[in-house]
Amino acid sequence: QVQLVESGGGLVQAGDSLRLSCRASGRTFSNYDMGWFRQAPGQERAFVAAINWSGGNTVYAESVKGRFTISRDNAKNTVYLQMDSLKPEDTAVYYCAATSTANFVNYYSTYVYEYWGQGTQVTVSS
């Protein structure tokens, strides 16, 4: 009953910024914890960032900490990932995900999330 659509990906140079958006439809996600994951070819889908239902708690993978910022606007049913100082190793398909568990436990695991978007490609050239 929740559909997620990512947007904002593209091709940028190292050091540039991108802002990804994930809009939910069908139901509002004000009571959902949300996460961003990414997957490069041949790699496992990896945790990037998560935000709890209220937006009061955020967590980040060590590889993006200090460069990426996750936020949400529940009135717009949208979660964002602001990506600054992009590096070539950030190149991947980025997915947003939602879970109704909403206890902000095991947010780093793909198995926690009930709903997934189709992904948006981010390519960072050197």
Side-chain angles (χ1 to χ4, degrees):
Q1 295 192 42
V2 175
Q3 294 82 46
L4 306 175
V5 179
E6 304 96 335
S7 62
L11 173 63
V12 298
Q13 295 182 341
D16 285 350
S17 296
L18 282 173
R19 189 193 194 196
L20 305 184
S21 298
C22 175
R23 183 181 62 82
S25 62
R27 280 191 175 188
T28 59
F29 67 4
S30 60
N31 60 337
Y32 284 70
D33 292 344
M34 301 290 296
W36 284 98
F37 291 75
R38 64 188 182 185
Q39 187 168 24
Q43 302 292 103
E44 288 280 316
R45 192 166 297 188
F47 171 74
V48 175
I51 187 167
N52 78 326
W53 67 270
S54 70
N57 292 293
T58 59
V59 291
Y60 300 91
E62 285 294 320
S63 59
V64 306
K65 188 164 56 179
R67 299 187 297 119
F68 290 11
T69 303
I70 188 171
S71 62
R72 67 192 297 163
D73 186 340
N74 287 342
K76 296 181 178 180
N77 297 327
T78 302
V79 63
Y80 305 96
L81 186 68
Q82 177 67 42
M83 305 186 295
D84 297 322
S85 301
L86 282 162
K87 304 175 180 179
E89 51 262 47
D90 295 318
T91 296
V93 177
Y94 283 70
Y95 299 89
C96 67
T99 175
S100 61
T101 301
N103 61 1
F104 216 49
V105 173
N106 297 139
Y107 45 78
Y108 51 84
S109 173
T110 60
Y111 295 104
V112 169
Y113 297 90
E114 306 166 49
Y115 305 101
W116 292 85
Q118 295 296 313
T120 185
Q121 177 71 49
V122 172
T123 302
V124 185
S125 66
S126 60

